């Protein structure tokens, strides 16, 4: 089989490039503005009476941290499943998912430092004088000890570094050599990696989020955090792919399928998240055991009830109904706002989990600027790191053996019923050419 | 930001990473039709009779056991206080679980554009329908007074009886009956083009009439195909949530209670993963010998076996995660009753059941990480049986071990099945295999039209597509 050369993508299929000149400084601006807000928030929060000192800042920082942790872990998951399922279509988007996973260490580990320092203020169980007097805490020893907390945290970041590092190393090496060995190595790391990923994500969600109310327990919690994280990441990946396509960086290796598949996955995870969240709620509500229901009772107080409604309709119904149609999945004017909406909804969802611990009477609208500032600061910093990493490596795995499939040059199947592609016609002579992201 | 490339060389996959064709040896359309139809045409082979006669015998045994149970009462089973749910509910959940792979393959894999499904979907769908039939028997009998089963349906009566909609057992009735109905419809819709092929090949008038009747006047015209594909897509969309909902609702039979070991929020996705796991286990158990006996190796290829092993591995690992999470949260919760329930599972009188479950469902599928094992048919066959054994014991652990020791030691007991339990369970195998063997004798067990669609010559760009693809 000869090596086909592909050059000069058909411009008729592409929308005009975006003017990104105004946006180039955005990460720096976000860092500056966010950093200022964080600083003000830190001072304001620090000047509170002793029992409240630094708590507002701590919970806001934790919320923003868990938000971006979702992105790092989601990126890692997409890379892992790409290798485990021997996927073809996702080759084009894999490289920047690897960069997302690389954010986990050292950058998210660095951003975790304030959480680690403020942990005694955030996690009530850390300041219980006599753990034996608190059954829910005593039962969790030695996991819920100060040492246990830091060991688990360090272990999670260590394993994430190892996994992200190995996957990226072999991916970049394949760019040079094109060896099949690199694919096999990445699969091998994904094999142990998927188990490590599952348990470290669960432990992180338990220790850093569920542990805020250590009396509460749910076997679903890890799955719940996972579902939301992948949902957020898919929305992010969609936008990044769209931008890289418009800028002609990935346009040669992208086919319309990638947008369709990403949209379909986003739809699937919209439903999966709702399924998981509803199941957890319904089982606890129906059994009506006070040790479990108290967590939801707190989240029905004051404006938290309305936040719950926003989550039901905004996190599920709106994206579900929007994504039902096939053509929507590659219609940028619908998908881009929807993906940005997903960012907002994931933030609201994590707020619903974290903030009622401190603000038990309702959503803290009065201090919303602080978590948003934390979010902006971290977002700016991580965006800078991401862009630097992206510039330092080829934008896609250029010698990946499955690249030919990602580009849509491998068409073994013509019919829809057999699982073939819906838009085969665009490769046929005289077929009408539809631009990607039709408007 | 990295610079855009103006010209790229597309790497060709090295030999070890080349995709294996879904139909091997460049088989023509005509060969596919002949080979699949041959199973239903001509005399039944000896092996078929060798399988059918004992299966039919066991089905008769099932009939005898059900008559005995109806005329005598539920007490002929081993159910007793405190284990009021026994083998009946275990078998119900087990069979329902097996009935998941078919619709998953047909609907979800169709929507996900997994082309490999075409070789196995028809048999898996049939398996689904027969498994759900077996499952339905147990709760229908378990109510005790079978002649009042119709009360489960919301039919107004002169006694003003109305089902208790707050009971998860009622949700089961609706979930399972909807699933069964849609699965049958989906199966039948997929069969229509192949029934027309059978009609056109039929040698006798009776066969022509019967196949023709069910082929609904199929001519293979563009309009026929267009309508068919739309209907198939819609049914796939309708079936997809049902695949998830049925076992989620079955899991709620347990999870909405307050019983330690049952009340676990992860139960819905854990049950669904387990159901798909056991369903694929049964598909492998059935298709590995059948592909050889019906000489279908070029259609159900090693690639299909490989992929199904991977699905089994993935779902087995999810089940493993759920087991570990249950254990962990039992400890984490600090609930003494939860902790006792799990210690009792692992070290109580039924410890062997728990560890058998754990080994078969968590450790055994991990062997599928190795390609050599996935490529060894005999090992895959044995492992697929172990998966089914493990999944049966999972339900045994959930039902019997959770129930046999109540909160008060004075309410503890030990469950043992009676001979009626055992014979009834064996009888459902008879029903299942009898139905399956009849299905493969009278209907095409491979979706002929769909398999043709994944051959290279079906591609308009392929040289063979210009009329050299063989006879239809």
């Amino acid at each position: 089989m000869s090596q086909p050369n592909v050059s000069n993508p058909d411009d008729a299929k592409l929308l005009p490039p975006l003017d990104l000149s105004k946006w180039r400084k955005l990460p720096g601006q976000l860092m500056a503005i966010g950093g200022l807000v964080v600083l003000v928030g830190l001072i304001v929060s620090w000047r509170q009476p002793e029992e409240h000192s630094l708590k507002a800042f701590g919970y806001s920082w934790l919320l923003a941290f868990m938000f971006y942790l979702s992105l790092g872990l989601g990126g890692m998951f997409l890379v892992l499943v790409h290798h485990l399922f021997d996927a073809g279509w996702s080759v084009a988007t894999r490289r920047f998912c690897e960069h997302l996973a690389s954010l986990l260490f050292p950058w998210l580990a660095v951003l975790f430092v304030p959480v680690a320092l403020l942990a005694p203020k955030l996690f009530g169980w850390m300041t219980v004088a006599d753990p034996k007097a608190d059954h829910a805490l005593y039962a969790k020893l030695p996991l819920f000890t100060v040492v246990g907390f830091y060991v688990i945290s360090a272990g999670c970041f260590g394993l994430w570094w190892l996994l992200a590092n190995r996957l990226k190393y072999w991916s970049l090496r394949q760019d040079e050599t094109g060896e099949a060995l690199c694919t096999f190595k990445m699969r091998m790391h994904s094999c142990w990696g998927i188990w490590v990923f599952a348990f470290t994500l669960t432990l992180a969600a338990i220790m850093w989020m569920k542990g805020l109310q250590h009396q509460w327990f749910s076997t679903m919690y890890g799955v719940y955090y996972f579902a939301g994280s992948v949902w957020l990441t898919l929305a992010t990946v969609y936008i990044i792919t769209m931008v890289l396509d418009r800028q002609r960086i990935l346009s040669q290796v992208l086919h319309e399928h990638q947008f369709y598949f990403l949209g379909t996955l986003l739809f699937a995870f919209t439903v999966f998240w709702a399924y998981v969240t509803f199941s957890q709620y319904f089982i606890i509500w129906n059994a009506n055991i006070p040790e479990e229901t108290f967590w939801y009772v707190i989240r029905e107080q004051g404006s938290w009830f309305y936040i719950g409604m926003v989550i039901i309709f905004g996190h599920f119904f709106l994206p579900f109904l929007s994504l039902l149609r096939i053509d929507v999945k590659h219609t940028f004017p619908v998908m881009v706002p929807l993906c940005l909406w997903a960012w907002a909804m994931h933030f609201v969802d994590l707020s619903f989990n974290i903030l009622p611990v401190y603000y038990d009477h309702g959503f803290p609208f009065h201090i919303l600027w602080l978590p948003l500032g934390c979010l902006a600061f971290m977002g700016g910093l991580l965006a800078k790191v991401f862009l630097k990493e992206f510039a330092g490596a080829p934008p896609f795995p250029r010698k990946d053996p499955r690249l030919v499939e990602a580009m849509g040059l491998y068409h073994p199947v013509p019919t829809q019923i057999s699982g073939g592609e819906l838009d085969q016609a665009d490769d046929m002579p005289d077929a009408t050419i539809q631009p990607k992201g039709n408007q | 930001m990295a610079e855009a490339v103006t010209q790229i060389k597309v790497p060709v996959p090295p030999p070890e990473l080349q995709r294996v064709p879904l139909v091997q040896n460049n088989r023509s359309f005509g060969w596919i039709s002949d080979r699949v139809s041959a199973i239903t045409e001509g005399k039944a082979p000896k092996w078929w009779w060798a399988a059918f006669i004992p299966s039919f015998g066991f089905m008769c045994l099932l009939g005898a056991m059900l008559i005995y149970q109806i005329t005598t009462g539920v007490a002929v089973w081993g159910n007793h206080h405190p284990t009021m749910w026994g083998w009946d509910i275990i078998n119900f959940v087990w069979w329902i679980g097996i009935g998941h792979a078919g619709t998953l393959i047909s609907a979800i894999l169709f929507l996900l554009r997994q082309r490999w499904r075409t070789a196995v979907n028809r048999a898996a769908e049939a398996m689904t329908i027969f498994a759900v039939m077996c499952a339905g028997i147990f709760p229908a009998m378990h109510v005790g007074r079978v002649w009042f089963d119709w009360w489960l349906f919301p039919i107004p009566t002169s006694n003003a009886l109305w089902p208790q909609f707050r009971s998860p057992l009622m949700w089961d009735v609706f979930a399972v009956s909807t699933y069964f109905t849609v699965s049958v419809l989906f199966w039948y819709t997929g069969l229509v083009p192949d029934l027309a092929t059978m009609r056109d090949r039929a040698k006798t008038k009776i066969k022509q009439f019967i196949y023709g009747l069910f082929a609904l006047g199929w001519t293979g015209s563009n309009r026929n195909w267009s309508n068919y594909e739309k209907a198939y897509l819609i049914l796939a969309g309708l079936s997809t949530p049902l695949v998830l909902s049925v076992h989620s609702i079955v899991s709620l039979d347990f999870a909405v209670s307050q019983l330690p070991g049952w009340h676990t929020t992860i139960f819905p996705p854990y049950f669904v993963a387990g159901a798909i796991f056991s369903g694929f286990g049964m598909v492998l158990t059935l298709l590995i010998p059948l592909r050889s006996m019906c000489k279908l190796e070029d259609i159900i290829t090693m690639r299909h076996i490989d992929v199904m092993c991977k699905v089994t591995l993935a779902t087995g690992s999810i089940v493993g995660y759920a087991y570990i999470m249950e254990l962990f949260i039992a400890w984490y919760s600090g609930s003494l009753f939860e902790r006792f329930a799990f210690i009792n599972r692992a070290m109580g009188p039924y410890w062997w059941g728990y560890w058998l479950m754990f080994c078969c469902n968590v450790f055994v599928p991990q062997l599928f990480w190795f390609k050599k094992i996935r490529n060894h048919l005999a090992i895959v066959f044995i492992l697929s049986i172990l998966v089914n054994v493990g999944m049966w014991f999972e339900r045994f652990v959930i039902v019997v071990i959770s129930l046999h020791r109540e909160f008060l030691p004075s309410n503890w007991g030990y469950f043992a099945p009676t001979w009626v339990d055992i014979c009834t369970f064996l009888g459902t195998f008879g029903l299942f295999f009898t139905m399956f063997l009849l299905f493969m004798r009278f209907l095409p067990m491979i979706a002929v039209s769909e398999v043709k669609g994944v051959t290279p010559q079906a591609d308009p760009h392929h040289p063979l597509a210009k009329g050299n693809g063989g006879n239809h």
Side-chain angles (χ1 to χ4, degrees):
Chain A
M1 203 172 164
S2 63
Q3 287 205 341
N5 282 331
V6 177
S7 61
N8 299 329
D10 190 351
D11 276 348
K13 286 185 176 181
L14 298 171
L15 293 169
L18 296 165
D19 178 17
L20 294 179
S21 55
K22 292 178 194 166
W23 299 82
R24 287 192 191 284
K25 291 180 182 169
L26 183 67
Q29 288 167 346
L30 281 173
M31 267 187 79
I33 297 167
L36 195 67
V37 172
V38 166
L39 199 64
V40 172
L42 189 64
I43 293 166
V44 170
S45 181
W46 178 57
R47 289 167 64 88
Q48 296 290 312
E50 176 59 27
E51 68 271 25
H52 294 294
S53 177
L54 289 172
K55 282 194 173 180
F57 171 78
Y59 286 112
S60 300
W61 188 270
L62 177 66
L63 171 57
F65 169 78
M66 291 307 292
F67 182 89
Y68 288 111
L69 183 72
S70 291
L71 210 53
L73 288 172
M76 180 177 277
F77 175 74
L78 293 182
V79 177
L80 289 170
V81 290
H82 167 87
H83 294 304
L84 290 173
F85 286 96
D86 190 11
W89 69 272
S90 47
V91 172
T93 57
R94 199 186 77 218
R95 177 55 45 80
F96 66 78
C97 288
E98 289 165 354
H99 295 320
L100 286 176
S102 298
L103 295 176
L104 288 166
F105 195 90
W107 295 103
L108 277 159
V110 169
L111 294 173
F112 182 73
V113 170
V115 177
L117 293 175
L118 294 173
K121 288 193 173 289
L122 304 178
F123 299 94
W125 59 265
M126 278 199 181
T127 47
V128 173
D130 180 13
K132 287 182 182 173
D134 182 337
H135 175 74
L137 177 58
Y138 186 61
K140 294 175 184 58
L141 298 179
L143 181 68
F144 271 48
T145 55
V146 174
V147 175
F149 180 83
Y150 292 115
V151 167
I152 292 287
S153 303
C156 285
F157 282 112
L159 287 165
W160 292 335
W161 166 76
L162 183 65
L163 190 52
N165 178 281
R166 290 295 83 196
L167 290 169
K168 198 168 175 179
Y169 169 80
W170 286 107
S171 179
L172 292 176
R173 186 165 155 177
Q174 195 169 46
D175 284 352
E176 305 299 324
T177 64
E179 291 172 313
L181 170 76
C182 302
T183 299
F184 294 128
K185 285 284 183 187
M186 286 185 277
R187 279 187 202 164
M188 189 269 287
H189 286 301
S190 302
C191 161
W192 65 266
I194 194 73
W195 283 101
V196 165
F197 170 82
F199 287 110
T200 49
L201 178 144
T202 306
L203 273 174
I206 289 172
M207 295 302 287
W208 303 338
M209 257 170 52
K210 190 159 80 170
L212 290 167
Q213 284 171 306
H214 68 280
Q215 302 88 347
W216 190 67
F217 50 90
S218 165
T219 43
M220 190 75 105
Y221 205 71
V223 184
Y224 156 77
Y225 184 68
F226 160 78
S229 297
V230 178
W231 190 66
L232 173 80
T233 309
L234 286 165
T236 311
V237 166
Y238 192 98
I239 291 184
I240 296 174
T241 310
M242 187 273 292
V243 171
L244 295 177
D245 185 39
R246 291 287 292 269
Q247 300 315 102
R248 310 293 193 267
I249 292 171
L250 289 187
S251 47
Q252 285 189 338
V253 291
L254 278 180
H255 200 269
E256 208 166 74
H257 306 153
Q258 274 87 357
F259 292 104
Y260 174 75
F261 290 147
L262 285 171
T264 305
L265 277 174
L266 188 66
F267 177 76
F269 270 86
T270 303
V271 177
F272 181 60
W273 176 88
Y275 167 70
V276 163
T277 310
F278 172 74
S279 298
Q280 177 175 275
Y281 178 82
F282 183 71
I283 289 170
I284 288 174
W285 171 80
N286 205 63
N288 203 18
I289 301 173
E291 286 90 334
E292 295 175 342
T293 50
F294 84 93
W295 195 88
Y296 282 107
V297 170
I298 292 170
R299 282 156 182 81
E300 287 173 2
Q301 306 305 311
S303 56
W304 284 120
F305 173 80
Y306 299 101
I307 295 295
M309 291 299 116
V310 168
I311 291 171
I312 291 170
F313 289 97
H315 204 305
F316 174 61
F317 281 110
L318 180 71
F320 174 78
L321 295 171
S322 305
L323 287 165
L324 268 176
R325 283 181 64 97
I326 290 173
D327 55 354
V328 159
K329 297 177 182 77
H330 39 73
T331 305
F332 295 155
V334 178
M335 286 302 294
V336 172
L338 199 65
C339 292
L340 295 173
W341 177 254
W343 270 55
M345 280 302 104
H346 190 60
F347 176 77
V348 173
D349 186 35
L350 291 182
S351 305
F352 187 75
N353 275 262
I354 293 170
L355 298 183
V357 178
Y358 187 53
Y359 304 101
D360 55 355
H361 294 300
F363 189 84
F365 289 104
H366 64 286
I367 203 166
L368 185 59
W369 55 271
L370 185 48
L372 288 179
C374 296
L375 204 67
F377 174 72
M378 286 188 205
L381 175 68
L382 295 172
K384 262 184 174 295
V385 174
F386 175 81
L387 290 173
K388 193 181 167 197
E389 297 231 344
F390 188 76
F396 57 87
R398 58 189 178 191
K399 289 189 180 172
D400 191 292
R402 300 277 179 250
L403 189 60
V404 65
E405 293 177 32
M407 295 170 72
L409 298 176
Y410 179 74
H411 281 311
V413 185
T415 65
Q416 184 184 347
I417 196 71
S418 55
E421 312 304 353
L422 295 168
D423 52 355
Q424 295 280 326
D426 62 6
D427 291 327
M428 295 177 194
D430 309 324
T432 312
I433 294 169
Q434 288 269 327
K436 278 183 238 176
N438 52 331
Q439 301 191 59
Chain B
M1 197 175 274
E3 288 301 312
V5 282
T6 53
Q7 186 175 39
I8 58 166
K9 277 191 172 180
V10 184
V12 173
E16 60 267 48
L17 287 173
Q18 293 274 358
R19 301 273 192 208
V20 181
L22 286 169
V23 176
Q24 286 194 327
N25 294 323
N26 263 333
R27 296 300 188 183
S28 66
F29 292 159
W31 184 90
I32 296 169
S33 293
D34 289 342
R35 182 50 55 98
V36 177
S37 306
I39 305 165
T40 62
E41 295 165 348
K43 282 188 174 179
K46 283 179 186 167
W47 67 260
W48 188 87
W49 284 110
F52 183 76
I53 292 168
S55 298
F56 187 74
F58 276 107
M59 192 176 80
C60 294
L61 178 69
L62 173 69
M65 287 303 105
L66 295 183
I67 290 168
Y68 178 59
Q69 193 263 357
I70 292 166
T71 52
T72 314
V74 180
V76 299
W77 288 343
N79 304 12
H80 59 73
H81 181 80
T83 320
M84 302 305 286
W85 284 4
W87 273 39
D88 47 350
I89 302 299
I90 297 170
N91 297 338
F92 161 64
V93 182
W94 187 74
W95 277 116
I96 281 284
I98 285 171
H100 265 66
T103 313
L104 177 103
I105 291 170
S106 316
I108 296 182
L109 296 187
F110 171 70
L111 294 180
L112 294 178
R113 303 183 179 190
Q114 295 298 303
R115 298 175 299 121
W116 62 270
R117 61 181 272 288
T118 52
V120 296
N121 67 337
R122 177 70 48 73
E125 286 171 48
M127 181 198 83
T128 287
I129 292 164
F130 306 141
V132 175
M133 284 163 63
C134 293
I137 291 170
F138 290 99
M141 293 294 141
H142 179 84
V143 299
R145 290 176 292 175
V146 182
W147 48 95
F148 289 138
D149 271 353
W150 64 280
W151 285 5
L152 290 165
F153 296 96
I155 306 165
T157 68
S158 54
N159 297 330
L161 288 167
W162 200 246
Q164 171 54 285
F165 285 110
R166 285 185 296 178
S167 162
L169 302 181
M170 276 310 302
W171 309 339
D172 269 349
V173 173
F174 295 105
V176 175
S177 55
T178 310
Y179 181 65
F180 181 76
T181 310
V182 175
S183 295
V184 170
L185 268 177
F186 198 23
W187 180 62
Y188 175 61
T189 305
L191 265 169
V192 170
D194 291 350
L195 287 171
T197 305
M198 304 296 290
R199 172 198 65 197
D200 298 343
R201 295 172 62 97
K203 298 276 189 321
T204 64
K205 287 210 166 176
I206 294 175
K207 278 189 175 181
Q208 277 173 359
F209 174 75
I210 294 173
Y211 284 128
L213 187 70
F214 287 102
L216 302 176
W218 180 270
T219 60
S221 66
N222 260 351
R223 177 175 287 187
N224 278 177
W225 277 110
S226 174
N227 290 339
Y228 167 80
E229 295 201 0
K230 276 180 200 156
Y232 202 84
L233 187 63
I234 291 168
L235 279 169
L238 287 174
S239 304
T240 297
L242 288 176
V243 176
L244 303 179
S245 70
V246 174
H247 231 56
S248 297
I249 286 175
V250 170
S251 81
L252 295 181
D253 292 349
F254 306 97
V256 295
S257 72
Q258 297 182 340
L259 196 78
W262 284 12
H263 176 64
T264 308
T265 51
I266 206 171
F267 255 27
Y270 150 38
F271 264 53
V272 172
I276 296 165
F277 176 60
S278 65
F280 270 90
M282 188 59 98
V283 172
L284 283 168
T285 308
L286 286 174
L287 291 186
I288 287 173
L290 280 180
R291 72 189 281 277
S292 163
M293 287 187 283
C294 300
K295 297 185 173 48
L296 294 170
E297 290 93 338
D298 286 346
I299 298 176
I300 304 172
T301 65
M302 286 311 294
R303 179 175 168 186
H304 293 93
I305 305 291
D306 184 78
V307 175
M308 287 194 284
C309 288
K310 285 179 184 171
V311 177
T312 311
L313 166 63
T315 46
S317 300
I318 295 171
V319 168
Y321 171 87
Y323 290 167
I324 294 166
M325 207 41 56
E326 271 190 317
L327 269 175
F328 174 73
I329 296 294
W331 169 81
Y332 178 96
S333 69
S335 163
L336 298 179
F337 301 111
E338 280 289 339
R339 285 184 177 186
F340 173 78
F342 282 87
I343 291 169
N344 185 49
R345 283 182 180 184
M347 294 190 282
Y350 295 107
W351 63 270
W352 44 270
Y354 182 76
W355 291 109
L356 196 60
M357 169 198 86
F358 217 98
C359 290
C360 291
N361 295 346
V362 183
F363 299 134
V364 161
Q366 301 309 313
L367 294 171
F368 288 138
W369 282 110
F370 304 100
K371 195 169 185 177
K372 278 188 178 172
I373 288 185
R374 297 199 303 270
N375 285 350
H376 197 294
L377 280 176
I379 295 178
V380 174
F381 182 68
I382 293 166
L383 296 186
S384 72
I385 292 174
L386 287 179
V387 164
N388 281 306
V389 171
M391 285 310 290
W392 191 89
F393 273 96
E394 179 192 291
R395 281 64 182 249
F396 178 82
V397 166
I398 292 171
V399 174
V400 170
I401 308 186
S402 301
L403 285 174
H404 86 113
R405 285 185 167 174
E406 270 202 12
F407 293 93
L408 290 173
S410 55
N411 274 339
W412 289 8
Y414 189 88
F415 172 86
T418 64
W419 65 273
V420 183
D421 277 313
I422 296 166
C423 291
T424 308
F425 184 43
L426 290 176
T428 52
F429 279 101
L431 173 64
F432 179 78
F433 284 112
T434 302
M435 297 301 287
F436 195 86
L437 288 162
L438 288 172
F439 151 74
M440 59 177 290
R441 269 298 290 155
F442 294 103
L443 292 169
M445 63 173 281
I446 303 283
V448 179
S449 60
E450 293 191 40
V451 169
K452 286 176 185 172
V454 299
T455 54
Q457 64 267 33
D459 189 331
H461 302 111
H462 196 276
L464 287 177
K466 303 198 187 299
N468 300 328
N471 302 319
H472 287 258

